[in-house]
Amino acid sequence: MQQYKVNDKVFNNIEEATVYVTTLNKAVTIQPYTPPTKASIKFNVARNMLLREMIEWAGEFVQSMSPSTDVCWMYSVEDDTGFNDAGDTYYEDCTGLTFGTNLMWEDAKHDYEGASANFDCLLGSYNEFTTVDSLSEMLNNMYHTMSDHSSETDSYIGEVRHSIKQLCANNPNIAHSYEERTRTTTISFVGNVDKMYEEFMQKLNS
């Protein structure tokens, strides 16, 4: 029997759904509705567990990239003779000083801003990933979203590679591989949906 859904209400036939719609004061859509199966419920839990792992990993990575540059390396000085250096130099006896930003500080800000922007790109819906095989694509896409960065230094990509490797080492459901020739990191789903569901239910009921 085909059921239908209007907002959060489920009806056993189109006639009942249509009658209900006429009682509303706003336009709504009647959609075919298929009740979730036990398998789909388990899959949904497993997918959401993976999403929590990845989103919170990404958030922690962003926090780790928050600039911690020494104050004296946040700026530079230049005097009227052309002498210039970072703020850790003795410049009190210089004349005609001009203060500017330091490249180390600019790189640190750039890395943090890039990580923050990438994190924002992760936010949204992942409901299009509906099969176990698609979970690897989901995970890999999320990692590569976080690793997308343009910088004059290799610090960002080095940090994100190290961070995801640590995550995978501590998570039995996500595998990590690295291709040296192409310098490409790939992560994939290697867990068991039934086992993940059982673990979640145990935690939920404890």
Side-chain angles (χ1 to χ4, degrees), residues 69-70 73-74 101-111:
T69 310
D70 288 344
W73 286 96
M74 292 174 64
T101 189
N102 188 283
L103 182 59
M104 184 174 291
W105 172 238
E106 287 297 315
D107 283 341
K109 288 195 300 178
H110 183 53
D111 286 348

Side-chain angles (χ1 to χ4, degrees), residues 143 147-149 153-162 183:
Y143 165 70
S147 68
D148 182 26
H149 190 64
T153 70
D154 290 330
S155 59
Y156 184 97
I157 192 62
E159 291 292 337
V160 76
R161 283 175 178 166
H162 176 70
R183 302 179 69 186

Side-chain angles (χ1 to χ4, degrees), residues 149-196:
H149 190 64
S150 59
S151 175
E152 294 183 5
T153 70
D154 290 330
S155 59
Y156 184 97
I157 192 62
E159 291 292 337
V160 76
R161 283 175 178 166
H162 176 70
S163 181
I164 195 65
K165 187 175 182 180
Q166 284 188 315
L167 170 72
C168 295
N170 294 314
N171 190 311
N173 300 310
I174 308 175
H176 170 279
S177 64
Y178 180 72
E179 171 57 52
E180 189 69 42
R181 183 179 62 83
T182 60
R183 302 179 69 186
T184 301
T185 295
T186 302
I187 64 172
S188 56
F189 176 64
V190 293
N192 179 280
V193 168
D194 289 336
K195 184 177 179 182
M196 291 176 69

